[in-house]
C-alpha cells in the first residue's frame, strides 16, 4: 500500500517538475539571448554557431534553475494534495506528513547529489567551451570586435578607429581613421574619412569597406634615410569614395571552438579549486608582506636602513624651519611635499592591487563553495516548498508561483549582496557562499514544524480575529434597520 502511495506521490511531483524546469530553463536562456545575441547577429556567424554558443552559456544556469524548480514543484504538488483533500485522507488513514514527505525528500536528495556532480564535472567543461568560443569569435570575426572610440588592431597590418558605429547590423561608421603598419622599407599610409560603410565582399576571406569624403596621407621615403622627410612633405590625396579590401584569411579560417584559454578557475572541479585557493592565498601573503616593506621603506627610510644594516644609527638633530631662511626653507618644504605625494600615490596604487587580489580570492572561494552549497539549497527549498504547499492547500500556477518567486528573489538578492560584501573584503568568502543557506534553513525548519502541527499560517480569519479588538474600537456600531 505504501509503495503504491510513494509511486503516486513521486509521479505527482515529477508531472509539474519537468514542465517547470523546461519553462525556467527557457526563461534563463532568453535572458542570455537578450544580453548576448545582439552582438552576434548580422556579424557573419551561422545559426548553428549561435545556437551552440547559447547552449554552452545556458548549461551553467542549471545550478539556479534546479533549486527553483524543486521549490515550485513541491509547493504545487503538496498544494494539490491539500486542495483535493488527499492530505486529509492520508492523515485519517494514519499516515503522517513526514511519511508523505519522505519519498520526495529522497528524490530531492538524489537531485541535489546529481546537481553537485553536474556542477563539478560538466559545467566547467561547458564554461571552457563558451569562453573559448567567445574569444575565438572576437579574434576570427573582426566585425564583432569593432568598438567605437577605440583603436582596433585585429586586422592584420592595420590600426583602425571609428568614432561612431550605427545601423541595424553596425554597418555604418563615422570618423574613420585607418593606419597601415609599415616596416622600414614600406611606405607609411594613413586614411581619414568622414563616413564609411561595411559592404558584403565577393570573397569571404576579405572585408570590404567603402569610405566617403576623406584623405589618404602617404610618404614614399621607405629606406631613404631619416633626412629625406625634411626635404619633401607627405603626399595627400583627397577622395570622394574609396573602396578598401582587408585580407582576413589568416584569422577567418581559425577554428571557432579551438581552445586557447585554459587558465580560469571556472574551468576547474571542486578538488582542483582547492589548489587554486591555496595558490591564491600564498600569493596574497607574499603580496601583503611586500606592501608592508614598500610602505615602511617610503615612510621611514632611516628605519629601513637600520633594519638592513643591523646597526645602530644616531638620528640627526631635527632642523627647525624657523631658523632657516629663503631657498633652504622652500627646498625642505618642497621635498617634504613631494615625499607625501609619492607616498599617497603609492598607497592608492597598492590599495587598488590589494582590492583586486581580495576580489579574485573571494570569487574563487565562492565559486568553489557554491558547487556544494547550491546542492544543499535544493533540500532546503524542498522543505520550504512542501511545508508551504501543505499549509496553503492551493495547487496550480497561481499563488504557489508567486510565493516561490518571492522566496527565490530573496535568496538571489541575498546571494548578490553578500557576494559584493565579500568581494570588498567585508566578509569571509566561505561564509558568504553559505550564509543564504544558513538564513533559509531555520525558516525551512520552522515552516516544516508549522506544517506538521497543522498551523493555519495563511488563514485570513485568524489574523482578522487577532486584530479584532483593535479594529472594534475604531468601528461604529450600526443599528438594525428595523430599529431605526
Amino acid at each position: 500500500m505504501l509503495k503504491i502511495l510513494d509511486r503516486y506521490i513521486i509521479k505527482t511531483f515529477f508531472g509539474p517538475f519537468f514542465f517547470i524546469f523546461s519553462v525556467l530553463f527557457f526563461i534563463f536562456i532568453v535572458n542570455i539571448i537578450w544580453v548576448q545575441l545582439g552582438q552576434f547577429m548580422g556579424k557573419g556567424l551561422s545559426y548553428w554557431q549561435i545556437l551552440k554558443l547559447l547552449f554552452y552559456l545556458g548549461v551553467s544556469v542549471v545550478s539556479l534553475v534546479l533549486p527553483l524548480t524543486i521549490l515550485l514543484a513541491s509547493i504545487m504538488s503538496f498544494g494539490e494534495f491539500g486542495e483535493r483533500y488527499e492530505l486529509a485522507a492520508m492523515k485519517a488513514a494514519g499516515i503522517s506528513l513526514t511519511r508523505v514527505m519522505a519519498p520526495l525528500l529522497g528524490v530531492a536528495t538524489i537531485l541535489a547529489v546529481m546537481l553537485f556532480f553536474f556542477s563539478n564535472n560538466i559545467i566547467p567543461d561547458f564554461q571552457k567551451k563558451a569562453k573559448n568560443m567567445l574569444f575565438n569569435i572576437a579574434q576570427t570575426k573582426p566585425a564583432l570586435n569593432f568598438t567605437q572610440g577605440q583603436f582596433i588592431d585585429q586586422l592584420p597590418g592595420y590600426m583602425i578607429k571609428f568614432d561612431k558605429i550605427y545601423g541595424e547590423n553596425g554597418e555604418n561608421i563615422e570618423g574613420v581613421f585607418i593606419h597601415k603598419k609599415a616596416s622600414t622599407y614600406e611606405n607609411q599610409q594613413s586614411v581619414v574619412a568622414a563616413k564609411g560603410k561595411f559592404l558584403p565582399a565577393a570573397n569571404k576571406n576579405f572585408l570590404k569597406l567603402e569610405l566617403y569624403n576623406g584623405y589618404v596621407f602617404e610618404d614614399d621615403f621607405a629606406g631613404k634615410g631619416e633626412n629625406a622627410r625634411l626635404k619633401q612633405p607627405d603626399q595627400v590625396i583627397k577622395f570622394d569614395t574609396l573602396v578598401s579590401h582587408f585580407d582576413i584569411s589568416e584569422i577567418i579560417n581559425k577554428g571557432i571552438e579551438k581552445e586557447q584559454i585554459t587558465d580560469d578557475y571556472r574551468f576547474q572541479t571542486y578538488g582542483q579549486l582547492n589548489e587554486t585557493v591555496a595558490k591564491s592565498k600564498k600569493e596574497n601573503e607574499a603580496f601583503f608582506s611586500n606592501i608592508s616593506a614598500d610602505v615602511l621603506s617610503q615612510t621611514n627610510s632611516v628605519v629601513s636602513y637600520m633594519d638592513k644594516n643591523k646597526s645602530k644609527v644616531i638620528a640627526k638633530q631635527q632642523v627647525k624651519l624657523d631658523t632657516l631662511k629663503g631657498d633652504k626653507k622652500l627646498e625642505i618644504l618642497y621635498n617634504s611635499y613631494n615625499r607625501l605625494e609619492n607616498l599617497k600615490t603609492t598607497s592608492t596604487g597598492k590599495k587598488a592591487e590589494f582590492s583586486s587580489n581580495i576580489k579574485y580570492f573571494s570569487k574563487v572561494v565562492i565559486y568553489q563553495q557554491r558547487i556544494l552549497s547550491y546542492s544543499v539549497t535544493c533540500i532546503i527549498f524542498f522543505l520550504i516548498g512542501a511545508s508551504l504547499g501543505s499549509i496553503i492547500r492551493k495547487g496550480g500556477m497561481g499563488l504557489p508561483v508567486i510565493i516561490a518567486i518571492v522566496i527565490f528573489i530573496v535568496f538571489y538578492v541575498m546571494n548578490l549582496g553578500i557576494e559584493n560584501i565579500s568581494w570588498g573584503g567585508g566578509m569571509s568568502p566561505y561564509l558568504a557562499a553559505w550564509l543564504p543557506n544558513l538564513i533559509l534553513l531555520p525558516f525551512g525548519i520552522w515552516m516544516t514544524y508549522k506544517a506538521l502541527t497543522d498551523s493555519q499560517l495563511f488563514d485570513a480569519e485568524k489574523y482578522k480575529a487577532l486584530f479584532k479588538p483593535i479594529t472594534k474600537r475604531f468601528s461604529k456600531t450600526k443599528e438594525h434597520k428595523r430599529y431605526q
Side-chain angles (χ1 to χ4, degrees):
M1 177 66 182
L2 290 177
K3 290 183 179 180
I4 297 174
L5 180 63
D6 291 343
R7 286 199 296 268
Y8 173 73
I9 293 171
I10 294 173
K11 181 181 177 181
T12 305
F13 175 79
F14 275 109
F17 176 86
F18 290 115
F19 172 73
I20 294 166
F21 184 87
S22 303
V23 171
L24 292 177
F25 187 79
F26 176 76
I27 291 172
F28 277 80
I29 288 292
V30 168
N31 180 58
I32 293 175
I33 293 174
W34 184 266
V35 175
Q36 300 282 352
L37 192 60
Q39 56 182 315
F40 302 127
M41 291 300 293
K43 304 295 186 177
L45 292 174
S46 66
Y47 288 109
W48 173 245
Q49 290 173 333
I50 294 174
L51 289 174
K52 189 180 288 187
L53 175 60
L54 291 174
F55 176 72
Y56 289 158
L57 292 171
V59 167
S60 60
V61 306
V62 173
S63 58
L64 282 176
V65 170
L66 186 59
L68 179 57
T69 303
I70 292 175
L71 173 65
L72 188 51
S74 57
I75 293 177
M76 291 177 64
S77 300
F78 280 83
E80 289 178 2
F81 290 152
E83 191 174 20
R84 297 195 296 255
Y85 297 101
E86 291 175 339
L87 276 178
M90 293 176 193
K91 290 178 182 179
I95 303 173
S96 64
L97 182 61
T98 52
R99 180 61 187 84
V100 176
M101 293 172 62
L104 291 185
L105 181 60
V107 170
T109 304
I110 293 172
L111 290 174
V113 173
M114 290 175 60
L115 178 61
F116 171 78
F117 285 106
F118 187 84
S119 301
N120 189 54
N121 300 315
I122 297 177
I123 288 181
D125 185 51
F126 280 89
Q127 289 268 28
K128 182 189 291 185
K129 291 180 182 295
K131 186 154 188 174
N132 277 281
M133 198 169 179
L134 286 170
F135 176 78
N136 292 331
I137 286 172
Q139 294 294 316
T140 60
K141 305 289 183 182
L144 289 176
N145 208 28
F146 287 155
T147 305
Q148 60 184 24
Q150 296 182 11
F151 281 95
I152 307 298
D153 60 353
Q154 300 297 321
L155 296 183
Y158 292 91
M159 285 285 291
I160 298 177
K161 184 174 80 73
F162 305 131
D163 291 339
K164 187 177 180 181
I165 302 175
Y166 61 98
E168 185 177 353
N169 295 319
E171 69 278 6
N172 298 318
I173 52 178
E174 291 183 2
V176 183
F177 176 81
I178 303 173
H179 176 70
K180 182 180 180 181
K181 300 176 184 177
S183 64
T184 308
Y185 299 97
E186 292 180 335
N187 293 336
Q188 298 286 337
Q189 186 183 82
S190 298
V191 179
V192 178
K195 293 183 178 181
K197 188 174 185 179
F198 286 106
L199 297 173
N203 189 338
K204 69 174 185 178
N205 291 325
F206 287 85
L207 184 67
K208 184 177 180 181
L209 181 61
E210 188 171 280
L211 304 176
Y212 313 108
N213 300 327
Y215 298 87
V216 179
F217 300 91
E218 184 175 357
D219 62 39
D220 56 355
F221 306 111
K224 296 182 181 180
E226 297 180 359
N227 296 327
R229 187 181 298 277
L230 302 175
K231 298 178 182 179
Q232 184 177 349
D234 296 341
Q235 298 178 8
V236 181
I237 302 173
K238 187 180 184 302
F239 63 84
D240 295 326
T241 303
L242 176 67
V243 178
S244 299
H245 288 80
F246 300 94
D247 185 2
I248 55 175
S249 58
E250 294 181 11
I251 57 175
I252 202 67
N253 296 319
K254 288 183 181 178
I256 288 293
E257 297 187 60
K258 182 180 178 183
E259 291 190 0
Q260 302 186 55
I261 305 175
T262 57
D263 187 17
D264 194 301
Y265 66 89
R266 288 168 292 186
F267 305 161
Q268 300 174 351
T269 62
Y270 190 93
Q272 293 170 341
L273 284 167
N274 282 328
E275 301 177 2
T276 304
V277 170
K279 180 181 176 182
S280 179
K281 187 181 294 185
K282 187 176 180 181
E283 290 175 351
N284 286 346
E285 290 175 356
F287 174 75
F288 298 150
S289 62
N290 290 336
I291 285 181
S292 301
D294 291 344
V295 173
L296 180 63
S297 174
Q298 292 200 29
T299 306
N300 196 336
S301 59
V302 175
V303 173
S304 177
Y305 175 79
M306 291 174 64
D307 183 62
K308 289 179 180 179
N309 292 277
K310 302 296 181 181
S311 61
K312 295 182 179 180
V313 179
I314 301 174
K316 294 181 180 180
Q317 186 176 1
Q318 297 295 325
V319 179
K320 295 182 179 181
L321 290 176
D322 296 339
T323 62
L324 299 176
K325 296 182 180 179
D327 295 339
K328 188 66 178 177
K329 184 176 181 179
L330 291 174
E331 182 182 352
I332 292 176
L333 291 173
Y334 180 74
N335 290 336
S336 301
Y337 175 78
N338 280 341
R339 284 194 175 189
L340 289 173
E341 286 296 316
N342 291 336
L343 182 60
K344 181 180 177 182
T345 303
T346 303
S347 300
T348 304
K350 295 297 182 183
K351 182 180 179 182
E353 292 182 46
F354 173 81
S355 300
S356 177
N357 289 352
I358 289 292
K359 186 175 182 179
Y360 177 77
F361 178 75
S362 298
K363 281 185 174 182
V364 175
V365 172
I366 291 175
Y367 181 82
Q368 181 201 35
Q369 294 302 309
R370 280 182 177 170
I371 294 176
L372 184 58
S373 67
Y374 279 160
S375 298
V376 178
T377 304
C378 292
I379 300 174
I380 296 174
F381 274 6
F382 168 75
L383 293 176
I384 296 173
S387 304
L388 280 173
S390 61
I391 292 173
I392 63 176
R393 298 172 186 174
K394 282 286 185 181
M397 299 294 290
L399 183 61
V401 174
I402 297 174
I403 295 175
I405 289 175
V406 170
I407 294 173
F408 182 77
I409 289 175
V410 171
F411 173 78
Y412 190 71
V413 170
M414 279 195 298
N415 262 328
L416 292 181
I418 294 170
E419 182 181 85
N420 289 329
I421 294 173
S422 176
W423 288 358
M427 181 184 296
S428 168
Y430 291 96
L431 179 60
W434 286 94
L435 190 56
N437 283 349
L438 295 176
I439 293 173
L440 288 178
L441 180 59
F443 178 70
I445 295 173
W446 179 73
M447 290 300 302
T448 304
Y449 169 76
K450 288 293 184 182
L452 293 174
T453 55
D454 292 325
S455 174
Q456 298 177 345
L457 196 62
F458 293 93
D459 188 0
E461 296 298 326
K462 178 183 176 181
Y463 295 102
K464 286 181 180 178
L466 183 65
F467 291 99
K468 191 173 182 179
I470 300 174
T471 57
K472 190 176 181 180
R473 292 186 176 183
F474 297 96
S475 60
K476 295 182 179 179
T477 56
K478 294 183 179 179
E479 296 182 353
H480 196 276
K481 289 183 178 180
R482 188 171 63 180
Y483 301 104
Q484 290 179 354

